[in-house]
Amino acid sequence: MNQKTTAITVLALGIATFGIAKADPTRDAIIAGFAVEAGVPSFSAEDGKAFFQGNHSGGKPETPSCTPCHTNSPHAAGKTRVGKVIEPMAVSVTPARFTNPETVAKWFRRNCSSVLGRECSALEKGNILTYLSSL
Amino acid sequence: MEMHELLAVGFMILIGLHISGAIYESRRTHENLPRSMVNGRKERRIGDHEVVVVKGHPVVLATLAAATIGAAIWGAAKPAHGVPSATLDPVYADECSACHMAFHPSLLPATSWAYLMNNLDNHFEEDASLGGETTAELAAWLAANAAETADTIPANVFRRTTVSAPDSITQTRFWQRTHHHLDDALFKRAPIYSKTNCAACHNDAKTGLFYPANISIPKENQE
């Protein structure tokens, strides 16, 4: 293997590792908890994406979706109502995402009430976390 | 050029003139004037008044000296009056700054903080609810460091918040009067974004001081 090939291999490996979200036991446990609660074997990242980007009713008029604050791309940083930066939601960009059950519960409680005017179901929560962890 | 810069430059010119004057006058009169500033003695000249030496009583002098030194030590040992000394509780800073600037506790009176902490589920039309234990801990910390404990300009004025909005600083008459000249668009543009972002312009907002000389409005491209 010459030097150039080595350099390319190292670079490719680096990009691959960077691009894939690292598994975290706490995060897995949170998702597994939602699976038990929802009574489903696994979640759908597709449904999670649709729920994250879709428009809902019942919440506040300024926030019909997750996107007014989190933007359409979970890889991008969002902004709170007063302009404070929200770190990207995608686990691949912000590895610390969804590793604290209390923080997850807190933000689902607050944001589901803003967007939907109700609590989110365990299925909805599981789908969203699966979607954002898969990116 | 701002007024403050103008005054500073003017002051530098005056200092220059003052020093030049001292040098010029020393040469003209053949007397070292700066030396007199140090040792308090002047050369004897024709036509001077007779010197009358007044000597202080040693006990009086010693008492005065002791009192001065004592007062200096006592003053230095004691924290400056009214300056808020509370550094932000880490949980408080963490929870509040998830959405906005963490406001210094001395900016609102204890009753306002109590109202705010009791209504976190409808916090300026946002659900900002916390766990019961965290809420109680932060409420206690806020009460212990509220405006009543400080003697800064904001602590003194925001102690009287508007009754209809006890948790709002921007709805107080003082806030509205002091920010009246600022365009609404200024508060919406980058990197300010909101009237709640005091720290964007008040460089000492985190300390609760809000000293008028510490204001600088950021330029739009400074993100």
Side-chain angles (χ1 to χ4, degrees), chain A residues 60 81-82 110 113-114, chain B residues 92 95-97 99-101 103 108 112-113 115-130 142 167-168 196:
Chain A
K60 291 193 298 162
R81 207 177 92 197
V82 298
R110 290 172 172 180
S113 123
S114 292
Chain B
Y92 175 82
E95 290 292 351
C96 302
S97 64
C99 299
H100 56 68
M101 185 192 102
F103 295 89
L108 283 176
S112 289
W113 284 123
Y115 173 88
L116 185 147
M117 293 307 282
N118 285 332
N119 291 282
L120 277 180
D121 55 341
N122 185 15
H123 180 65
F124 298 90
E125 291 165 46
E126 291 290 339
D127 183 343
S129 55
L130 290 163
L142 285 164
D167 53 351
S168 172
T196 67

Side-chain angles (χ1 to χ4, degrees), chain B residues 24-87:
Chain B
Y24 175 80
E25 195 64 11
S26 292
R27 293 179 76 95
R28 198 180 68 81
T29 59
H30 303 288
E31 182 184 359
N32 190 341
L33 292 176
R35 192 177 56 202
S36 301
M37 296 178 209
V38 178
N39 63 16
R41 290 168 187 277
K42 293 279 286 174
E43 279 174 26
R44 190 188 288 264
R45 296 280 164 108
I46 299 155
D48 280 351
H49 292 290
E50 269 307 302
V51 179
V52 184
V53 179
V54 183
K55 281 202 169 167
H57 193 281
V59 175
V60 175
L61 288 178
T63 313
L64 278 174
T68 311
I69 294 165
I73 292 169
W74 179 71
K78 179 174 162 302
H81 174 65
V83 173
S85 57
T87 48

